Amino acid sequence: MTDGWTPTTGAYAVDTTNGRIGEVRKLFEGSAYLVPPGGGAEWAVAPSALRPPTAEEGWRAQVWTRPVGRAQG
């Protein structure tokens, strides 16, 4: 973990073991459970292997999870 940063449920985090970004769904018995932005298979990793996303990584994750509005016409 980055100094002063602790993963929390609902936050995005980067798994340093594989470089993937995910949303922390739960913290349980020494593991953090993440899902990729937009959905997919959950995976577990030690919280100590997580870091906060950079601004660009956070922006990408939000783009992947936000629905596109309907065209007006």
Side-chain angles (χ1 to χ4, degrees):
M1 282 183 281
T2 301
D3 292 333
W5 182 81
T6 302
T8 57
T9 303
Y12 289 113
V14 177
D15 180 344
T16 61
T17 66
N18 59 21
R20 294 173 65 191
I21 189 168
E23 180 184 344
V24 178
R25 288 293 174 97
K26 62 185 168 189
L27 299 164
F28 184 70
E29 294 188 359
S31 293
Y33 295 85
L34 290 84
V35 293
E42 181 179 77
W43 78 96
V45 64
S48 61
L50 297 175
R51 66 167 175 81
T54 63
E56 182 177 337
E57 289 167 332
W59 178 80
R60 283 190 203 164
Q62 290 178 12
V63 168
W64 292 328
T65 59
R66 302 294 183 256
V68 175
R70 288 182 44 188
Q72 300 294 318

